[in-house]
Amino acid sequence: MRFFEVNTQAPPSVDMGGHLPLRFIWRPLLGDVVYAVLIGTWFCVIPAAYVLDRGLSFTALLENWWFSIVFFLGGLFSVAGTLSCILTRLEVEVTSSQVRQSGGGALRDKTWNEPLERYTVLRVERRHHPDWIGTKDEFGIHLCHAEDASRSVLLYWGRSERRFQARLSRYSKLLGLGVQGALAARRATG
């Protein structure tokens, strides 16, 4: 998962814990830095090795001005991409009185604080994947904001139904909120 997919329909594996404050910190995978390193390799390391191998002089490099531009842009994008991956993070914290989200790097505009009173319900989501081996289901628990859906928080996302049911019960008691969703009716009857 890449950092720009954090707020899409494909959530990361999340489990915020079982006691207040609930806390989740997400950083991009180390593999995301590979793209920036590949850019640096293709546009900086390989051309520099070519120049050194051929023993080209500085004046020869100035005559081929496009070579310098490619080297400069490759280095710039490589360093910027690496720093973006290293600095990007998303931290979510739910206490007994407020919900706080703090973003850094590419997600720095996703920082806000909200009182817990503005959250009205825990919404349950279940995704069935028939094309997966073993047809695993995914389960999610969202802390829903009453007025602004963009301030809703994902508390749990995983594949274990037993762990999901335990977290749903625990979060409902901790936060004093009701449960909404297809699994809520099944939980109430079962």
Side-chain angles (χ1 to χ4, degrees):
M1 166 178 244
R2 293 194 187 90
F3 63 86
F4 49 79
E5 295 174 340
V6 169
N7 288 334
T8 67
Q9 296 301 318
S13 177
V14 174
D15 190 350
M16 296 183 81
H19 304 285
L20 287 178
L22 301 174
R23 189 173 288 131
F24 175 70
I25 299 172
W26 178 85
R27 290 187 177 276
L29 297 174
L30 184 60
D32 291 338
V33 178
V34 170
Y35 301 113
V37 172
L38 282 175
I39 289 173
T41 301
W42 278 97
F43 295 105
C44 293
V45 175
I46 292 175
Y50 175 79
V51 167
L52 292 175
D53 182 55
R54 296 291 175 161
L56 297 176
S57 66
F58 186 69
T59 55
L61 290 177
L62 291 178
E63 288 174 7
N64 297 322
W65 54 269
W66 58 269
F67 191 80
S68 300
I69 290 176
V70 167
F71 184 80
F72 174 75
L73 290 177
L76 182 69
F77 287 127
S78 177
V79 170
T82 303
L83 285 176
S84 175
C85 285
I86 291 171
L87 298 176
T88 296
R89 66 168 173 64
L90 186 68
E91 180 179 342
V92 179
E93 184 179 45
V94 180
T95 65
S96 59
S97 61
Q98 74 172 2
V99 177
R100 181 181 65 85
Q101 180 171 299
S102 174
L107 300 174
R108 67 182 160 270
D109 60 334
K110 305 239 184 268
T111 300
W112 46 262
N113 286 320
E114 286 285 331
L116 188 60
E117 297 86 40
R118 292 193 181 159
Y119 292 85
T120 57
V121 71
L122 294 175
R123 185 175 50 83
V124 173
E125 184 177 352
R126 175 182 174 262
R127 291 188 191 164
H128 180 68
H129 301 280
D131 52 341
W132 286 7
I133 294 175
T135 63
K136 287 276 189 177
D137 290 344
E138 290 182 312
F139 304 95
I141 303 171
H142 300 266
L143 178 61
C144 294
H145 194 276
E147 299 146 8
D148 187 1
S150 69
R151 301 249 170 140
S152 294
V153 174
L154 179 64
L155 300 177
Y156 175 85
W157 192 267
R159 293 184 182 159
S160 169
E161 186 171 4
R162 180 185 55 78
R163 189 170 208 182
F164 161 75
Q165 291 293 346
R167 286 295 185 219
L168 181 61
S169 173
R170 184 78 175 146
Y171 291 157
S172 181
K173 288 176 188 170
L174 276 174
L175 302 172
L177 296 174
V179 179
Q180 169 192 18
L183 292 175
R186 192 173 97 187
R187 187 172 147 251
T189 60

